[in-house]
Amino acid sequence: MSSPTGFGSAAGGPIDVLIVDDSAVVRQRLKAIVESDTRFRVLLAADPYEAVETLKRIVPGVILLDVEMPRMDGLTFLRKLMKQHPLPVVLCTSVADRAVRALEMGALEVIAKPDWRDPEKMAAWGSNLLESVRNAARAGRLPLKDDRPLAGDPKQSADAIIPRGAYHARAGMNAGERIIAVGVSTGGVQTVHKLLSGFASDSPGTVIAQHMPADFLPAFATRLDQDPKIPLQVHLAKHHDPIKPGNVYVIPGGVHGAVRRTGNGYRVEIMEGPAVNRHWPSVDVLFRSTAQAAGPHAAGVILTGMGADGAAGLLEMREAGALTIAQDEATSIVFGMPREAIKLGAAKFVYSTERISQALMTWAQGADTPSWH
């Protein structure tokens, strides 16, 4: 794949979105959805070979990519693209394992293919698609004019799931009962692999809220568990799972996950309810519950992602005495969620992914704060 020679988005003009799909009908449907936002202009390619020819002439702001295509499949194209000319990519597939592999390769987001026959579901899917394309444009640091929150889409806070409350020390707790809560969104698959690769096999029980379509989260947990670089057991969390050292619990999609105190340890509580900050699971819900259950025995980490989910919850963790860390801008694929937490004063430390792992392992050995700054 040769390097592109020109740019498809003139200064102040619409942002080019390259749609790569072998179905002419699907291409036109996707084009209509994307161009309903006048800040975007769509280019079309029937397969990766046509996409390569387009990339020789124009650098699109975002690529919307199908997986199953003749001549070259989407994952092969994505692998070549990320090696030679990385661009923000949104992948469209309903195959969970392929979705997670694409995120590991560098795709920013993966959306499940819709049921084209259901008009009501298509309207919601189209809105989600547009927001994914907007997120990809923001991740590529492309200017979106009038970039305001979506109208008519009010954000619920964690109050809708868990009442606000303070941490209260309980008899029998000791400093060895430590727990880690992690919140992550766009660009997080690669980051979570790197973070957990730096953990010890006996590290505190860790709970992760990852923004991802519900159908893809089981494959995400499985691939983490199978990664030879991660010395931990990784599970898709179930209701009332005990949180044990050396184990990681990924909250399922379509629900919220909370940490609850039980005897001398903790357990996962799966909770239904409305989306919080437009997400199931919500990082704010996880962080608030961890603050209430563990207080100074917890560490909260907010990683790469779009939006502000987790910032308020991380502040509650800090106020409860927990160690709180935000990923730095240099290593964040999208510096949205960490930036909001830092602005709020929620993060005691701001570190690279590698240093976050080191800080957590230092803290897990009994230090109140990392031994370096």
Side-chain angles (χ1 to χ4, degrees):
M1 188 183 302
S2 60
S3 297
T5 57
F7 290 86
S9 302
I15 295 168
D16 287 326
V17 178
L18 175 60
I19 294 175
V20 189
D21 195 294
D22 63 306
S23 168
V25 173
V26 171
R27 290 197 301 273
Q28 291 302 321
R29 286 179 171 178
L30 295 176
K31 181 177 188 292
I33 293 170
V34 174
E35 288 190 340
S36 68
D37 185 329
T38 57
R39 295 173 294 183
F40 297 111
R41 177 179 61 189
V42 167
L43 310 169
L44 299 174
D47 62 29
Y49 288 94
E50 283 192 19
V52 169
E53 292 305 311
T54 300
L55 290 169
K56 290 177 181 178
R57 299 179 286 104
I58 295 172
V59 180
V62 178
I63 296 178
L64 181 57
L65 180 64
D66 186 21
V67 171
E68 297 179 2
M69 290 178 286
R71 300 209 290 170
M72 184 190 298
D73 67 271
L75 291 184
T76 300
F77 174 70
L78 178 65
R79 187 182 303 110
K80 292 176 180 290
L81 181 73
M82 289 301 159
K83 285 182 179 178
Q84 298 179 33
H85 194 88
L87 291 169
V89 174
V90 176
L91 200 79
C92 187
T93 180
S94 296
V95 183
D97 186 63
R98 288 193 170 198
V100 177
R101 284 169 59 198
L103 291 166
E104 290 170 351
M105 282 189 238
L108 280 175
E109 291 198 53
V110 178
I111 57 172
K113 284 193 170 183
D115 183 350
W116 303 101
R117 301 164 297 179
D118 189 328
E120 289 188 11
K121 289 183 179 178
M122 273 305 302
W125 187 87
S127 296
N128 290 335
L129 171 67
L130 262 180
E131 190 58 18
S132 293
V133 173
R134 294 183 188 116
N135 285 346
R138 296 179 188 115
R141 291 170 172 77
L142 297 170
L144 277 173
K145 292 182 178 180
D146 303 319
D147 194 18
R148 299 185 295 267
L150 295 177
D153 187 11
K155 293 192 297 182
Q156 295 274 8
S157 75
D159 295 346
I161 307 298
I162 299 176
R164 185 179 294 273
Y167 164 75
H168 297 288
R170 293 167 174 78
M173 289 190 72
N174 60 71
E177 297 168 358
R178 300 192 173 219
I179 185 172
I180 298 170
V182 178
V184 58
S185 186
T186 311
V189 169
Q190 293 172 311
T191 303
V192 170
H193 276 268
K194 187 176 294 185
L195 177 78
L196 297 181
S197 296
F199 278 32
S201 59
D202 61 348
S203 61
T206 299
V207 185
I208 297 176
Q210 160 80 63
H211 296 161
M212 186 183 291
D215 291 345
F216 301 156
L217 279 161
F220 173 57
T222 297
R223 290 186 68 84
L224 288 173
D225 188 54
Q226 294 173 346
D227 187 337
K229 295 180 181 178
I230 296 176
L232 306 160
Q233 295 184 55
V234 183
H235 321 266
L236 188 70
K238 299 187 296 295
H239 190 50
H240 286 175
D241 268 351
I243 300 172
K244 301 176 182 178
N247 286 260
V248 177
Y249 305 84
V250 176
I251 302 301
V255 294
H256 295 292
V259 170
R260 295 301 190 196
R261 182 76 186 164
T262 174
N264 291 325
Y266 309 99
R267 60 178 169 82
V268 176
E269 184 170 325
I270 301 300
M271 311 174 74
E272 296 186 351
V276 170
N277 296 320
R278 304 191 185 98
H279 292 291
W280 293 281
S282 163
V283 182
D284 268 337
V285 171
L286 174 61
F287 283 174
R288 171 175 287 185
S289 68
T290 306
Q292 294 176 4
H297 306 290
V301 179
I302 194 160
L303 300 173
T304 176
M306 190 67 62
D309 187 31
L314 194 71
L315 180 61
E316 292 183 36
M317 289 191 70
R318 184 169 187 180
E319 290 171 343
L323 170 66
T324 57
I325 305 174
Q327 187 177 1
D328 65 8
E329 185 171 9
T331 60
S332 293
I333 295 173
V334 181
F335 191 57
M337 286 163 45
R339 179 180 58 236
E340 293 303 314
I342 293 165
K343 283 168 57 178
L344 205 59
K348 186 173 184 179
F349 299 102
V350 180
Y351 291 141
S352 67
T353 313
E354 182 180 0
R355 283 210 157 187
I356 293 173
S357 299
Q358 295 171 2
L360 291 172
M361 293 306 97
T362 299
W363 168 83
Q365 296 304 312
D368 291 331
T369 58
S371 57
W372 39 263
H373 300 282

